[in-house]
Amino acid sequence: MSYNPTSASCGSAADELYMRRCLELARHGLQGAPPNPMVGAVIVHRGRIIGEGWHRRCGGPHAEVNAVASVAAADARLLPESTIYVSLEPCSHWGRTPPCAELLVQKRFRRVVVGCVDPFAEVQGRGIARLREAGIEVDVGVLEAECLRLNRRFITFHTRRRPWVTLKWAESADGYIDRWRDSRADGDPVHFSSEWTQTLVHRLRATHQAIAVGRRTWQLDAPALTTRLWPGTSPLRCVLSTTMTATPGGPEVFASPAEMLAALHRRGVQSLLVEGGGQTLQTFIDSGIWDEAYVERSDIVLGGGVAAPRLPADTKGRPLHVNFA
């Protein structure tokens, strides 16, 4: 079942105001919600917010449930006269938790405003249909682009059947990511990052479920690939190599980006951070299998070494963040 929201879209200034609050709330679930989507919900009665919530962690109550639970006892009687704003279509199926669409029907909300339709096959308009069947006024498409962008990883996973791929590297002022080294005996890699940007890198790792490097980086640098500088779960370690074999306690090994992404998709991994080195990053770029890039540019001049990856002149709208901006 599919649903086209454009025929029922709306968007008064008040609707947009409350949907922006939904998006603010939803972002609090960046680390806890995956592999579920980030969702925020706001309950409004005659211009007053009486409840709000977000999806805090996978397996826990959804945003709508938390929003309803936050309503004061004295305001509970107002729910049938209220509007609930939700950044993503309320679910209509039983998973780890009951369907949120049924909760909204039970609470007899007057109106439901939805940011975007859920692309997950178990939903895809069914939640909206259930609400309308119950006689609830439903408007869809308020700040739709922003709501879709918020859950781009979740949507990519379900529509393209692969994880969202983020590239990250640091380079010198003259375009190199390291000096030439043939073995560990040649010394440590050049460090372009400051203490602050190292922390930002670890924050980036904490928001991805898997991380990948190439064989050369793994063998020369033995990177930990953890989130030790930022709270959160360390991502699943992966290596792109045609010669390495997986060992107990070691990283997952894949011969190609396509093989890696297919395997990660089967495991339910929705986001992959590729940290290099240069050849590995370029392989993803040349294959066109990337969605976002972070490039840290240093003032250091190397004068030669391992060339930084080359992005195409036309990135086709993919976000490019230079120095984490």
Side-chain angles (χ1 to χ4, degrees):
M1 179 178 181
S2 62
Y3 182 80
N4 181 358
T6 57
S7 62
S9 62
C10 66
S12 68
D15 285 343
E16 292 189 2
L17 175 67
Y18 296 125
M19 190 59 70
R20 290 196 188 282
R21 177 57 179 162
C22 287
L23 291 169
E24 288 179 353
L25 293 167
R27 291 186 185 98
H28 291 311
L30 179 60
Q31 289 184 221
N36 287 354
M38 294 176 281
V39 185
V42 174
I43 301 172
V44 180
H45 179 265
R46 296 183 181 177
R48 178 171 69 94
I49 293 177
I50 62 172
E52 57 184 28
W54 70 92
H55 186 37
R56 296 173 180 268
R57 61 179 179 82
C58 181
H62 289 186
E64 299 93 324
V65 177
N66 287 329
V68 170
S70 75
V71 176
D75 290 332
R77 61 182 177 81
L78 302 177
L79 292 182
E81 304 170 12
S82 301
T83 296
I84 184 168
Y85 293 82
V86 189
S87 56
L88 185 70
E89 175 184 6
C91 63
S92 56
H93 64 291
W94 282 84
R96 297 186 185 180
T97 59
C100 292
E102 291 299 329
L103 173 67
L104 303 188
V105 170
Q106 292 169 11
K107 296 299 181 180
R108 297 182 295 122
F109 277 94
R110 179 183 67 83
R111 179 174 178 242
V112 178
V113 179
V114 177
C116 64
V117 174
D118 190 336
F120 183 47
E122 295 291 335
V123 188
Q124 287 189 335
R126 292 177 177 86
I128 294 167
R130 175 68 185 101
L131 295 171
R132 287 186 171 144
E133 287 169 2
I136 297 174
E137 177 187 350
V138 183
D139 290 305
V140 185
V142 174
L143 300 184
E144 182 181 32
E146 290 92 330
C147 292
L148 289 170
R149 185 162 56 248
L150 176 70
N151 282 303
R152 55 194 180 274
R153 299 177 181 185
F154 176 80
I155 292 169
T156 295
F157 180 84
H158 286 287
T159 59
R160 298 186 183 181
R161 302 190 63 79
R162 66 163 176 82
W164 176 273
V165 178
T166 302
L167 309 180
K168 188 276 168 186
W169 71 88
E171 63 183 40
S172 66
D174 51 348
Y176 298 96
I177 64 172
D178 198 2
R179 55 189 175 79
W180 281 112
R181 293 178 299 132
D182 294 323
S183 70
R184 292 190 187 182
D186 292 331
D188 295 329
V190 178
H191 293 288
F192 298 115
S193 299
S194 65
E195 183 175 331
W196 169 239
T197 56
Q198 282 182 336
T199 301
L200 295 180
V201 170
H202 284 237
R203 182 181 68 174
L204 194 62
R205 290 178 181 176
T207 61
H208 287 74
Q209 293 176 279
I211 188 169
V213 296
R215 176 196 58 79
R216 185 176 184 275
T217 297
W218 182 260
Q219 293 180 341
L220 286 182
D221 302 337
L225 304 178
T226 65
T227 59
R228 58 193 179 276
L229 299 180
W230 190 267
T233 303
S234 294
L236 174 70
R237 299 174 302 165
C238 302
V239 173
L240 188 65
S241 173
T242 57
T243 59
M244 280 181 59
T245 56
T247 58
E252 305 283 335
V253 179
F254 303 97
S256 69
E259 178 188 345
M260 181 183 294
L261 295 180
L264 293 176
H265 182 271
R266 289 193 296 270
R267 295 178 62 164
V269 173
Q270 294 183 6
S271 54
L272 171 67
L273 177 63
V274 183
E275 286 200 15
Q279 183 176 344
T280 297
L281 287 158
Q282 197 65 53
T283 298
F284 276 87
I285 293 170
D286 293 344
S287 300
I289 311 175
W290 65 284
D291 302 290
E292 189 171 17
Y294 286 79
V295 182
E296 183 180 354
R297 290 179 178 154
S298 169
D299 293 332
I300 297 173
V301 176
L302 283 187
V306 181
R310 301 176 306 281
L311 290 171
D314 182 6
T315 61
K316 301 184 185 300
R318 298 179 177 97
L320 173 60
H321 311 276
V322 179
N323 291 335
F324 296 91

